[in-house]
Amino acid sequence: RAREAALRGRCWREVPVSAPMPDRPTSPLPPGEGQGEGHMSPLPAGEGQGEGEATASQLTSDHPPVLEGIIDLIFEEPSGGLVIIDYKTDGVRDAGGDTGDGKEQLAKAAAPYIPQLGAYALATEQPTGRRVSEAIIVFAYLAAEGKDAEYHLPDLARARQEAGELAAAAFAQDE
C-alpha cells in the first residue's frame, strides 16, 4: 500500500510533527506509570531522546505543552485516510517461531510503543485536521528474515488517549 501511495506522490518519510496539546486529561497517569521505555518523556524536546521518539515539552507557562516527534513513514490511502508506519530496529527477532503464537508475540513486543504511535496520530491530526486511520509497527529484523513483522494497532483511539494521558503526566512533572 505504501508503494502505491509513493507512486501517486502521497507517501512521506521521516516527517517531523509538532502540535500544541492544550487539553489535559482530568486524571492523568502518575508520572512514569504505563510509560514505554524512552517514549513519552518529561524531557524537553531534543534532550536525551533517540530519533523517532515522541517527546513532550513545555515551552513556557504562557504556551501550551507541545508534542513532538519524527514519523518514519506516513502515506495517504486512496480514500484519503492517513497511515502511520513506525519501524523498530530493537532486538525483536522471534515472533513465536514454531509455537504458533506469533501474533501474541508481536503484540507483546509492540506494547511499549503503542503510546508513541498514539502521540504521532495526535501530532499529525491536530495541525492537519486530517484523521489518521491506521498505525502500524514494523519490526525490521523480522521483516528482513521474511517473517511476520507488522503489528497493526487494534485500537488507535485508545492509543491516542494513552498518549494524551502520558503527555499530561510529563507536563505535570515540569510544573
Side-chain angles (χ1 to χ4, degrees), residues 3-173:
R3 183 171 298 153
E4 292 169 5
L7 292 173
R8 293 189 318 272
R10 308 305 297 165
C11 184
W12 305 273
R13 294 176 28 178
E14 298 180 8
V15 178
V17 291
S18 178
M21 302 300 297
D23 299 324
R24 294 185 185 187
T26 55
S27 56
L29 294 172
E33 186 175 311
Q35 287 183 263
E37 185 177 303
H39 297 287
M40 295 299 296
S41 169
L43 294 173
E47 288 187 26
Q49 296 297 305
E51 183 177 324
E53 294 178 351
T55 62
S57 63
Q58 180 79 33
L59 297 176
T60 70
S61 59
D62 297 335
H63 293 88
V66 175
L67 196 56
E68 301 174 315
I70 298 176
I71 299 173
D72 292 334
L73 184 75
I74 187 166
F75 67 90
E76 181 183 62
E77 301 254 58
S79 65
L82 298 175
V83 178
I84 290 173
I85 297 180
D86 192 50
Y87 295 97
K88 296 299 176 194
T89 57
D90 56 9
V92 177
R93 294 182 184 270
D94 183 27
D98 297 329
T99 64
D101 63 352
K103 295 290 183 194
E104 186 177 313
Q105 292 294 333
L106 277 177
K108 184 177 178 180
Y113 303 113
I114 290 173
Q116 179 185 2
L117 272 72
Y120 287 167
L122 289 171
T124 298
E125 293 167 343
Q126 188 174 15
T128 66
R130 300 192 50 206
R131 196 76 166 160
V132 173
S133 59
E134 188 175 5
I136 304 166
I137 297 170
V138 177
F139 292 96
Y141 287 117
L142 295 175
E145 295 172 1
K147 297 179 180 177
D148 186 9
E150 293 185 8
Y151 178 76
H152 297 251
L153 271 66
D155 190 350
L156 189 52
R158 175 66 189 130
R160 284 184 196 93
Q161 179 183 349
E162 189 173 348
E165 291 169 351
L166 290 170
F171 300 139
Q173 286 182 344

